Amino acid sequence: MDKADSIHVVVVGGGFAGLRAVRNLALRGPRGLRITLIDRRNHHLFQPLLYQVAMAGLSPADIAVPIRTIVRRYRNVEVMLAEVTSVDRPNRTVHTNMGPVPYDALVLACGATHSYFGHEEWEEHAPGLKTVEQATEIRRRVLTAFERAELECDPQKRKELLTFVVVGGGPTGVELAGALGEISRFTLGRDFRRIDPTRTTVLLIEAGPRVLPSFSEELSRGARRDLERLGVSVRTERLVTAIDDSGVELGEGEDRERIRAATVLWAAGVRASTPGPGFGAETDRSGRVMVEKDLSLADTPEVFVVGDQAHVEQADGSLVPGMAPAAIQMGECAANNILRDLRGAPRVEFRYRDKGQMATIGRARAVAESGGWKMRGVLAWLAWCFVHIFYLIGFRNRLLVAIQWAWSYARFRRGARLITDPDWRQERQAKDPTVERH
Amino acid sequence: MDKADSIHVVVVGGGFAGLRAVRNLALRGPRGLRITLIDRRNHHLFQPLLYQVAMAGLSPADIAVPIRTIVRRYRNVEVMLAEVTSVDRPNRTVHTNMGPVPYDALVLACGATHSYFGHEEWEEHAPGLKTVEQATEIRRRVLTAFERAELECDPQKRKELLTFVVVGGGPTGVELAGALGEISRFTLGRDFRRIDPTRTTVLLIEAGPRVLPSFSEELSRGARRDLERLGVSVRTERLVTAIDDSGVELGEGEDRERIRAATVLWAAGVRASTPGPGFGAETDRSGRVMVEKDLSLADTPEVFVVGDQAHVEQADGSLVPGMAPAAIQMGECAANNILRDLRGAPRVEFRYRDKGQMATIGRARAVAESGGWKMRGVLAWLAWCFVHIFYLIGFRNRLLVAIQWAWSYARFRRGARLITDPDWRQERQAKDPTVERH
């Protein structure tokens, strides 16, 4: 890349990877370095706690911070609320819905979305959990199911309303299922008069042989027991073959089984965001871009891909996992390599430092492992709370989340039990039933 | 009404009036009294702070509490999440989308919505502020306008994006305009690089001769000065004659004037919710039901209408204002009269005890008056904070709101600056620009 007076680095994506890249470039870059951070959302989202928004424990604003606020002190950083439509590598230009943005170096950190394995029509019936809007939609569906069950006289229909299916036994699926088990048994139990929320069925469906496959077998077994104690039925080695508005179908042929459920949540497949048509880089099956050891692209070394969007192999051949610590490390590495280019220093290879992983199960249990260490139970849960509050961006959010967790722990209540409607307009139906709902 | 063993009172609406009626019936009613509270929302909303959600100062869940949680300790109260479609007074039955509900006594407390004075097409361009969804929609529009202005090169278009029009100079309009003035001058000022948020135009349009017409002339003048100090241009005696996607039109004929603005907010007209077709009671111009002195209907004394939905005159001929304290007093009075009927005691007439009124202007000023007392400035603002935190339902919310106000006061920041999209589905457009947004 040019070592002219004014170097322009464009970073796409304000997640963990993108923000870390921006920070390192801003703090350690030379004079004349300009940085533009493009995101289609105005906020950074603390994804690891998103399931708490879906489960009515936290409010969206508790885990989301305006990107402008985060980078306000870096005077050489501009923020652009725009949607990237394509990346023109030969002409070093990012095209957005707000116009083209030329770059000298580019860091793509667009993250991942859900994959329904070619069954995009399942999304309508089984929302995933990647955005604030999806979290509030899941919250709406779960709370509405209990409300409708309270008013339902037909026992069969009531049973369906009180059946929740979570597809996917990774950390998100386990956390959702655990929270659903806990909510139905403890939080909502005393609020309803007619239904018995302890009769709620929560099913966790995993295609592989065990939940939390990235954890050790011992913790995985423990997590399953913890889930079952919260009333969650764990079904492993079961493949979801259909999802519609009446529930899910598992298995095929003779093995086929239908589960009638009003609420289905998707926590199974992940697909990397694509950089738009014409990008022309090699990707893996999940859409992740194959990068060099320095996280750049072979034919355009000024373009880096980091975070969940990148396919990076470790020394043992395994993939660097799609987790916040890995994304942060990649963002840091890409920024360093850009700065090394500017100094004329050789680039460094990315090396993932595994800091371990954690997942909570309900209100006061968790599993955690780091290196040789394994933890499970209340202590692991306390460690989980501490780590998540510590890494949350913004003092205000840390304080608010700590208070709300303490409150919900002490009172067995969830503070954000709001059912909101996607439509903001006045609900004319109530005023005049002859007018159709728009 | 029958004095049988089991008396069923139905209360429609979980606002201030409805909740107070339920509470009094539950706490002071005889054995065998059953109460059903019907609301189409699962939460009670603390309306006086809704503008703070619209202005990104608070999260929806900070001012909304699940109705079930509020009434959980009253064992003879059932909550029904349903929409009332009509009320059949001759057969003493409330019809809802979840089926009919018969009653022995009925309290209607359905509140009010916006009125666009017959121009319902204005709503699209100028949302009002009555629900959580409308508040987050206003927040989205305001924050998006600043983001778009930051990327706009055409100075004329940028000016339009930075022009905010608030229609209606009552407390809500004044609070919205004051917060907009403050946000653009102080909160967002340091977050943008290209726009100068202090160049923002905030216009407050009032058809009458002064803002806050329900306050004394002295406070009204003071409020206007406070608004102008925050950069708000107050235009009184100007009637809005058109609203479309490019702005508003004021006046008619030669006096006609066009204001180009990207964001228009509606805080002008209010219309009472109607009890559905066939209710057949007399209403005033704003749709409020004319009630007897005991708040019941003349021909069906077992039906009461309270809160913003009722037209109640005071001794001096003036209307009881549409405020929370008045709604609470009406709910209390209706409940008392139902209980007096059961005891065979004569009903009492409703008498409004005026506790005064308050409105804030920006971050640290307010006007307040109560009886002969008048207050303005920082002290009035502290009183406003105290009263609003005190009357907020739920200890958790009081704590969270107090912390967030302290934080935003100290840091000049707003914590809930989230732009969210009404559509929760994955944003396919970004992945494949050839697919149209659904």
Side-chain angles (χ1 to χ4, degrees), chain A residues 40 42 68 72 77-78 114 123 133-134 147 194 396 404 413 417 421 424 426 428 430, chain B residues 40 42 68 72 78 114 123 133-134 147 193-194 396 404 413 417 421 426 428 430:
Chain A
R40 60 180 172 180
N42 80 324
R68 291 195 183 281
R72 80 198 295 181
V77 177
E78 285 198 23
H114 290 285
E123 188 183 15
E133 290 83 356
Q134 288 165 353
E147 292 289 345
R194 300 181 195 184
R396 170 187 160 280
Q404 300 200 63
R413 281 197 210 161
R417 278 167 49 196
D421 195 297
W424 60 269
Q426 295 186 13
R428 303 203 186 296
Chain B
R40 58 181 174 181
N42 81 324
R68 290 195 184 280
R72 81 197 295 178
E78 285 198 23
H114 290 287
E123 188 183 15
E133 291 82 357
Q134 288 165 352
E147 292 289 344
R193 299 284 182 261
R194 298 180 196 186
R396 171 187 160 279
Q404 300 201 62
R413 282 197 211 160
R417 277 167 51 197
D421 196 298
Q426 294 186 14
R428 304 204 185 294

Side-chain angles (χ1 to χ4, degrees), chain A residues 12-34:
Chain A
V12 183
F16 288 108
L19 277 187
R20 181 54 66 106
V22 166
R23 197 183 89 157
N24 275 30
L25 289 166
L27 289 179
R28 294 166 45 199
R31 237 171 226 278
L33 182 72
R34 287 189 307 119

Side-chain angles (χ1 to χ4, degrees), chain A residues 12 84-96 100-106 108 275-280 297 299-300 302-303:
Chain A
V12 183
V84 170
T85 49
S86 68
V87 177
D88 180 353
R89 288 197 284 153
N91 293 308
R92 296 190 178 179
T93 302
V94 175
H95 291 280
T96 77
V101 186
Y103 62 79
D104 299 305
L106 174 66
L108 288 178
F279 186 67
L297 295 183
D299 47 351
T300 51
E302 73 280 10
V303 177

Side-chain angles (χ1 to χ4, degrees), chain A residues 123-134:
Chain A
E123 188 183 15
E124 191 67 38
H125 312 294
L129 186 64
K130 281 282 174 191
T131 66
V132 161
E133 290 83 356
Q134 288 165 353

Side-chain angles (χ1 to χ4, degrees), chain B residues 124-400:
Chain B
E124 191 68 37
H125 312 294
L129 185 65
K130 281 281 174 191
T131 65
V132 161
E133 291 82 357
Q134 288 165 352
T136 51
E137 171 67 13
I138 289 177
R139 184 178 72 183
R140 187 186 73 73
R141 289 186 185 209
V142 170
L143 297 176
T144 304
F146 282 104
E147 292 289 344
R148 284 175 55 204
E150 172 83 348
L151 299 179
E152 183 60 62
C153 301
D154 179 342
Q156 179 55 37
K157 280 193 189 145
R158 183 182 289 184
K159 186 165 180 292
E160 282 173 42
L161 286 166
L162 292 178
T163 301
F164 299 86
V165 175
V166 179
V167 183
T172 303
V174 165
E175 288 176 336
L176 282 173
L180 278 170
E182 181 206 300
I183 281 177
S184 52
R185 265 159 189 66
F186 305 110
T187 316
L188 298 180
R190 289 172 291 177
D191 277 7
F192 288 88
R193 299 284 182 261
R194 298 180 196 186
I195 59 171
D196 176 359
T198 62
R199 294 235 173 132
T200 306
T201 306
V202 182
L203 278 171
L204 179 63
I205 315 285
E206 163 61 35
R210 58 191 180 96
V211 298
L212 298 180
S214 61
F215 286 74
S216 71
E217 283 205 38
E218 182 193 338
L219 285 185
S220 168
R221 268 197 307 273
R224 181 175 182 146
R225 277 199 301 276
D226 286 342
L227 283 168
E228 285 166 348
R229 214 164 286 146
L230 287 169
V232 177
S233 307
V234 179
R235 308 279 300 270
T236 48
E237 300 187 77
R238 292 301 276 161
L239 203 68
V240 171
T241 44
I243 304 181
D244 55 34
D245 58 5
S246 71
V248 300
E249 242 168 55
L250 305 181
E252 281 180 316
E254 282 193 4
D255 214 25
R256 205 175 183 89
E257 174 189 5
R258 175 146 206 101
I259 296 165
R260 299 187 74 85
T263 314
V264 183
L265 308 180
W266 187 259
V270 162
R271 177 184 53 189
S273 299
T274 78
F279 185 67
E282 198 191 339
T283 59
D284 67 10
R285 269 195 329 151
S286 301
R288 298 187 202 93
V289 177
M290 313 298 282
V291 293
E292 300 294 295
K293 288 193 188 313
D294 62 359
L295 303 180
S296 73
L297 295 183
D299 47 351
T300 51
E302 73 280 9
V303 177
F304 296 81
V305 184
V306 295
D308 287 358
Q309 206 180 1
H311 176 110
V312 185
E313 277 171 26
Q314 302 186 61
D316 65 357
S318 69
L319 223 57
V320 174
M323 287 164 52
I328 290 171
Q329 291 172 28
M330 286 192 228
E332 201 161 271
C333 175
N336 285 350
N337 280 337
I338 292 172
L339 296 174
R340 290 178 85 88
D341 281 1
L342 293 174
R343 291 202 301 271
R347 290 189 177 182
V348 292
E349 292 184 3
F350 176 70
R351 223 178 284 277
Y352 173 52
R353 295 176 303 281
D354 186 354
K355 295 196 172 168
Q357 49 184 344
M358 320 179 116
T360 41
I361 301 142
R363 207 171 66 105
R365 299 192 73 79
V367 289
E369 59 183 35
S370 176
W373 278 83
K374 291 189 187 71
M375 254 204 299
R376 188 177 144 238
V378 180
L379 261 179
W381 178 75
L382 283 172
W384 180 90
C385 288
F386 177 79
V387 165
H388 282 80
I389 287 179
F390 186 81
Y391 280 103
L392 198 59
I393 290 178
F395 171 74
R396 171 187 160 279
N397 289 338
R398 271 179 230 139
L399 186 64
L400 293 180

